[in-house]
Amino acid sequence: MCGPWCGGRLFSALLAAWLVSFAAGPLAAADGSQPPTYLIGPGDTLSITVWRQPELSTAVIVRPDGRFSMPLVEEIFAAGKTPENLADEIETKLSQYVQEPRVSIAVSGGVGDTSQQIRVIGEAAAPQALPYRSGMTILDAIIATGGLSRQADGNAAVILRASDGLYETIPVRLADLVREGDSSANEDLVPGDIIVIPEGFFEGEWRATYGMSASQTFSDNIDQEPSGEREPGLVTRAGPQMSIRGNSARVTAAFSGNIAAVQEFGGDDPGFSLDPRINGTSTTELAPDLVFFDLSASVSRQLLDSRESTSASGASTSNRNTVATLTASPYLVHRLGDFADAEWRYRFSPVLISSSNESDAFDHEASFILDSGDDFSFFGWTWTNRAGQEIRTNDSDISSASTDFGVDYALWRNFSLLGSIGYEYRDGDDDSSDNFSNVTWRGGFAWEPNPDLSMRATYGLSDNDENLDASLNYQIGPKTGLRASYSEALESSQERAISNLNRLVFNPVTGELEDEETGEIFDPDDPFTFEDETVRTRTLRVGADHRTGRNTFRLTGLAGTSEGGTEGDEDFYEARLTWGRPLSQEITLTSSASYQRSDFEEDDRLDDTYTLNVGLGYRLSSDARASLNYSFQLQDSTEDDRSYYENAVTVGITLSF
């Protein structure tokens, strides 16, 4: 007879056998081999039952060091032991206090000893350690961890398998297995396997749309001539279009491209031309958290001389020249000691123009910026250093350099005082008044009382003149927003084109490439005359958006001055109201009305221009859309031969695939 002690041991053995069956799968694998016995590991929850001793029974969690404590047993090492062996050891320790103790152990919520775990690390949806079970495959492990993340390069994954004290590397094709359903890529696992899923450089969420558009425009005054000289004309446009939106672990990019072949009939400039409209921006992380590369580009036909006219329909390419602007900027960021974030950046920005009257420009700039970062909660500072050169093909080169130390002091919550002092240098301009070497300063404030309202304004001396810079953003309600900005700058038209391009951003909500400052769809066109001469511009922009029911309204305004150009000073004012409304599931109405005033002081000329556009869009199918647009434009000028009116009708179709 075994006696009661023998019966307790038998009960513990049966319970341990059941636990192994639960944690490791069936008692024997399909090939007849025995599965490994379950070994306790750190993090396992143990339910310890001492027969007829409820005050000693308890539940414990095995600590990371592999140990735990229980009543009458201060420290006991559990990691790497079977539940049966651990029960024996506890019985031995308790026998000093309890006569013939009988102990049983159940494991719940555990993954076992590391030698029996399957560990999934890297770009799984939920990387974790899993308990091995007999017959387990890599597909089972990936399903248990939630699948692959969007950034995972599944086909570059490997299994690290211990062999004679070393790790063997086994390539696996997880992308083919999980995303393509290729069962031949499934692999059997053994206890202790480590599945490593690397991050893919371009792997992520990407969306590409391809299409084709074609339109026919009839204008009753294709050259925008005064009464008595009006001549009708036709403009045919057709070409491919493409958009790409993407976000991966290392790359964020947005691109929109449309290249139209244009055939113009009638007027002073009949013939064939190309009209590219390309915008794109991207940021690439070359070395994790260290080296980055920004790239932005814009190619379009622009009206270089604001004294010339262009059709409100936008179909004709008359009086427009191709301008291509690119900015390529590698930069390095790192933590400098314990007090600042550092950024080293080089920017190369060519501006190429199809007109021989303006210079192509190649702008180089190097910068070094130190920023206090988040370590200074009430007193922040930034030290900015820049040096650059603008090389122009038809004009003299311009060199510049500056250093500026700025501070941001939180006077009270959400209100900060701003200030800076620095030095600037500029040389090489044909106009000697635009060459200088001065101390710079500015002062102002930033106020953000709540997430819906932010205001910032500074006044000081820079670019050899006193200037003001201010911005306001106010989300009045969930459907109404207001924004305004004022800025001053001393720059050539090529530099202004680069500045405009640097404001190009992708809005993930609307899916559009927008101007970061105005929030509007990015348009590289400039209201001022494009010329080599350095000019001083002052620009005030305001905008408001409102949605009510199915209606969307947008009001924008612009007031600007340009001083010092070879063509004389210019003043420009514009107000535009747009309205959009879906009339049904298939039909959408869009309309806009605008007023522009251009004052050319050198020519003693004043132009008032009124435009009206009304369009209907009809969804033919999920991949096809037709449109009908009417445009009217009236210009009243103090020069009689610059006064005209034009009516234009455009019929178009857009296909996507």
Side-chain angles (χ1 to χ4, degrees):
M1 295 290 292
C2 291
W5 182 85
C6 183
R9 292 294 304 271
L10 179 60
F11 174 78
S12 296
L14 290 174
L15 183 62
W18 173 83
L19 175 66
V20 171
S21 174
F22 174 80
L27 293 177
D31 59 2
S33 62
Q34 292 296 319
T37 303
Y38 185 83
L39 302 179
I40 296 170
D44 283 3
T45 300
L46 307 181
S47 295
I48 303 174
T49 303
V50 183
W51 188 50
R52 291 184 178 179
Q53 301 292 334
E55 70 279 4
L56 299 179
S57 300
T58 185
V60 298
I61 298 177
V62 181
R63 300 194 305 262
D65 63 359
R67 303 174 183 272
F68 71 89
S69 300
M70 62 175 289
L72 300 182
V73 180
E74 289 187 4
E75 290 286 320
I76 188 167
F77 191 82
K81 298 176 181 178
T82 67
E84 182 183 18
N85 291 339
L86 182 60
D88 290 344
E89 188 172 341
I90 294 174
E91 286 177 354
T92 300
K93 291 181 179 293
L94 289 178
S95 63
Q96 304 175 42
Y97 313 100
V98 179
Q99 186 176 4
E100 295 185 350
R102 295 179 232 173
V103 177
S104 61
I105 296 178
V107 183
S108 61
V111 295
D113 183 70
T114 55
S115 65
Q116 292 184 314
Q117 294 175 5
I118 300 298
R119 284 171 286 176
V120 183
I121 61 176
E123 294 300 321
Q128 58 186 286
L130 304 168
Y132 175 81
R133 60 179 175 79
S134 181
M136 192 174 189
T137 67
I138 196 169
L139 180 60
D140 297 326
I142 297 303
I143 292 174
T145 55
L148 301 177
S149 72
R150 291 178 178 175
Q151 292 78 30
D153 186 359
N155 284 346
V158 296
I159 297 173
L160 299 181
R161 179 168 297 166
S163 177
D164 297 328
L166 301 175
Y167 276 105
E168 175 189 3
T169 301
I170 304 172
V172 288
R173 296 181 290 113
L174 290 183
D176 293 346
L177 174 63
V178 175
R179 295 169 179 165
E180 305 296 333
D182 184 357
S183 60
S184 67
N186 204 3
E187 296 283 345
D188 292 329
L189 298 176
V190 300
D193 278 355
I194 302 173
I195 303 170
V196 182
I197 308 172
E199 180 183 80
F201 199 91
F202 291 104
E203 296 292 334
E205 186 175 356
W206 293 86
R207 181 180 179 183
T209 303
Y210 307 93
M212 179 75 69
S213 64
S215 66
Q216 182 71 65
T217 300
F218 169 77
S219 171
D220 64 357
N221 188 5
I222 196 167
D223 294 319
Q224 295 85 51
E225 296 288 356
S227 298
E229 301 178 30
R230 295 160 50 83
E231 183 179 349
L234 291 173
V235 180
T236 302
R237 301 174 61 92
Q241 56 188 28
M242 178 178 65
S243 67
I244 299 175
R245 307 287 186 265
N247 185 19
S248 72
R250 299 288 192 90
V251 181
T252 299
F255 170 85
S256 177
N258 183 352
I259 302 178
V262 182
Q263 180 65 50
E264 191 167 320
F265 302 92
D268 296 336
D269 299 308
F272 176 82
S273 62
L274 290 176
D275 187 5
R277 298 178 184 178
I278 299 172
N279 296 309
T281 183
S282 70
T283 296
T284 302
E285 187 177 2
L286 299 177
D289 300 320
L290 182 64
V291 182
F292 298 81
F293 183 78
D294 288 345
L295 180 66
S296 296
S298 175
V299 182
S300 66
R301 295 189 70 129
Q302 300 180 25
L303 185 68
L304 301 185
D305 188 346
S306 55
R307 292 163 177 77
E308 299 293 337
S309 60
T310 184
S311 174
S313 68
S316 175
T317 58
S318 298
N319 298 328
R320 289 180 172 268
N321 294 89
T322 301
V323 179
T325 308
L326 173 73
T327 293
S329 179
Y331 61 103
L332 180 148
V333 295
H334 65 98
R335 187 69 176 164
L336 188 64
D338 295 326
F339 71 97
D341 297 322
E343 177 188 287
W344 306 77
R345 182 186 290 265
Y346 167 72
R347 179 175 59 80
F348 173 61
S349 302
V351 181
L352 308 178
I353 309 164
S354 63
S355 171
S356 59
N357 296 326
E358 285 77 30
S359 296
D360 293 337
F362 302 89
D363 192 270
H364 302 265
E365 182 184 83
S367 64
F368 170 60
I369 300 174
L370 280 179
D371 189 273
S372 60
D374 298 330
D375 292 343
F376 296 74
S377 55
F378 296 101
F379 181 84
W381 55 269
T382 303
W383 184 31
T384 304
N385 302 272
R386 303 183 188 277
Q389 185 178 41
E390 183 186 17
I391 302 172
R392 298 187 285 182
T393 55
N394 298 340
D395 212 328
S396 58
D397 302 338
I398 298 176
S399 300
S400 62
S402 67
T403 183
D404 180 87
F405 185 80
V407 296
D408 181 337
Y409 177 69
L411 191 61
W412 61 77
R413 186 178 181 182
N414 301 324
F415 184 88
S416 300
L417 295 178
L418 309 176
S420 74
I421 189 167
Y423 188 83
E424 63 182 357
Y425 165 84
R426 194 172 191 273
D427 187 52
D429 200 292
D430 292 337
D431 187 344
S432 59
S433 64
D434 292 332
N435 298 319
F436 46 81
S437 178
N438 290 328
V439 172
T440 62
W441 61 269
R442 64 182 172 89
F445 70 91
W447 183 44
E448 190 173 351
N450 56 67
D452 295 328
L453 174 62
S454 63
M455 183 183 300
R456 183 184 181 96
T458 60
Y459 178 81
L461 175 67
S462 64
D463 292 330
N464 203 33
D465 195 11
E466 297 179 0
N467 63 61
L468 172 68
D469 185 270
S471 64
L472 168 69
N473 285 280
Y474 183 27
Q475 192 65 35
I476 301 173
K479 297 182 179 180
T480 306
L482 175 68
R483 61 189 176 276
S485 66
Y486 177 82
S487 61
E488 301 182 15
L490 180 70
E491 55 192 358
S492 65
S493 295
Q494 293 87 346
E495 291 175 312
R496 194 162 62 245
I498 296 170
S499 298
N500 291 341
L501 180 61
N502 289 337
R503 299 201 306 264
L504 174 64
V505 296
F506 172 65
N507 186 328
V509 177
T510 63
E512 299 286 352
L513 288 163
E514 295 182 353
D515 187 313
E516 184 178 28
E517 185 176 295
T518 66
E520 300 176 12
I521 294 177
F522 182 75
D523 182 3
D525 246 336
D526 199 310
F528 303 114
T529 296
F530 196 107
E531 56 181 322
D532 290 344
E533 190 70 23
T534 300
V535 297
R536 189 178 300 275
T537 59
R538 298 176 174 87
T539 309
L540 171 66
R541 301 177 186 269
V542 296
D545 299 283
H546 178 67
R547 299 188 307 276
T548 174
R550 303 170 69 185
N551 300 286
T552 301
F553 298 92
R554 169 169 285 184
L555 176 65
T556 59
L558 170 65
T561 63
S562 172
E563 300 174 355
T566 55
E567 300 295 333
D569 298 344
E570 299 180 23
D571 294 332
F572 181 86
Y573 309 90
E574 179 184 50
R576 180 181 298 274
L577 175 65
T578 62
W579 169 47
R581 175 185 173 88
L583 302 179
S584 68
Q585 291 185 346
E586 292 79 22
I587 302 176
T588 302
L589 170 67
T590 58
S591 63
S592 67
S594 69
Y595 166 72
Q596 298 177 5
R597 164 165 282 204
S598 299
D599 186 356
F600 307 102
E601 297 183 12
E602 186 77 14
D603 301 339
D604 194 22
R605 171 182 162 187
L606 187 65
D607 295 344
D608 292 304
T609 306
Y610 309 84
T611 61
L612 174 66
N613 287 277
V614 180
L616 288 173
Y618 183 73
R619 186 165 63 91
L620 300 173
S621 67
S622 59
D623 300 325
R625 187 175 184 85
S627 61
L628 174 64
N629 293 275
Y630 167 72
S631 303
F632 171 76
Q633 184 166 257
L634 170 66
Q635 179 167 295
D636 183 16
S637 177
T638 53
E639 292 187 9
D640 293 340
D641 60 351
R642 295 295 183 178
S643 297
Y644 67 88
Y645 71 89
E646 177 196 22
N647 295 279
V649 177
T650 301
V651 179
I653 187 170
T654 301
L655 304 175
S656 59
F657 39 86

